[in-house]
Amino acid sequence: MILDRLPESIRGWLYGGGTRQDRLRDPDAVIRVLEIRPGMVVGDLGPGAGHFTLRLARAVEPNGVVYALDASQATLDELMSAADDRAITTLRAVRLRRDRLEIPEPVDLLFVSATYHHLPDPSKYFAEARVHLRPGARVAILESRREGLLARWRGRHATSPPRVLREMTDAGYRLIATHDIVRGYWFGLFQATHSGTMPG
């Protein structure tokens, strides 16, 4: 693509978002900054082919759990097959509705990679999601930047960082860290400003 051959400064001015290849270039670097420990419970919202999911599942071994959360049963089946091929036993598949998060147990981390822009109402979604977070839990959002002159046309699968910040703040979260390690992507870590209440 012509845009990819341009100097970085001009490319960013025209379109500041990243590609799938950018996001998956160094998945281990993404996992490292999440500081996953054995025994943690993690939710991976929209796991795709599992480039991050399988690494998360390895990181919580031997007694942690990673929930792959997706609306597509085919995606979940393929991911579980990939986990079986690698003898990964910490992964669980959970099929979701697109407009509501449901996890069998509260998590220490909710990882949201290239999925935020698919949510119909992110503020409402993450406000309701607080009931699925343990005290001190984090929400990690890795999202292509919808920035630059061509963002209107090229940024269908992206969200501008100010919008993510605004919507997450409205949902009851505060930004605790950002990491500039994936070209064209904004990577932020959030914590809930107050706990959600489990429905009675």
Side-chain angles (χ1 to χ4, degrees), residues 121-197:
D121 186 346
S123 289
K124 181 174 184 286
Y125 189 94
F126 285 102
E128 294 176 350
R130 291 200 312 267
V131 301
H132 298 291
L133 304 177
R134 292 180 173 181
R138 297 165 298 151
V139 176
I141 297 177
L142 180 62
E143 180 77 353
S144 181
R145 297 171 177 270
R146 196 173 194 267
E147 296 176 332
L149 291 180
L150 302 181
R152 183 174 177 183
W153 295 276
R154 289 204 74 202
R156 292 188 306 265
H157 299 288
T159 312
S160 71
R163 179 176 173 179
V164 175
L165 282 167
R166 183 179 67 251
E167 292 174 339
M168 291 299 286
T169 299
D170 290 346
Y173 295 81
R174 64 185 177 90
L175 182 68
I176 59 171
T178 58
H179 299 285
D180 189 16
I181 58 174
V182 183
R183 188 177 83 163
Y185 279 76
W186 186 81
F187 189 12
L189 291 174
F190 293 86
Q191 276 186 333
T193 54
H194 56 278
S195 299
T197 303

Side-chain angles (χ1 to χ4, degrees), residues 14-106:
L14 289 172
Y15 180 61
T19 65
R20 183 174 185 272
Q21 288 76 18
D22 291 329
R23 182 168 55 93
L24 302 180
R25 184 167 286 122
D26 191 358
D28 291 323
V30 172
I31 299 301
R32 274 195 302 274
V33 301
L34 294 174
E35 299 179 345
I36 307 297
R37 299 182 306 277
M40 288 180 70
V41 180
V42 176
D44 185 4
L45 181 62
H51 291 90
F52 296 110
T53 321
L54 297 174
R55 287 171 169 83
L56 290 168
R58 282 284 188 221
V60 302
E61 289 177 340
N63 57 345
V65 177
V66 171
Y67 291 103
L69 310 164
D70 204 279
S72 166
Q73 188 62 52
T75 294
L76 294 173
D77 289 346
E78 290 173 9
L79 189 51
M80 293 307 297
S81 177
D84 289 343
D85 290 344
R86 294 162 175 79
I88 293 173
T89 61
T90 55
L91 189 63
R92 309 284 184 272
V94 178
R95 189 173 180 187
L96 297 178
R97 289 169 33 185
R98 293 188 184 275
D99 62 345
R100 184 175 180 179
L101 183 66
E102 295 176 354
I103 312 177
E105 62 180 309

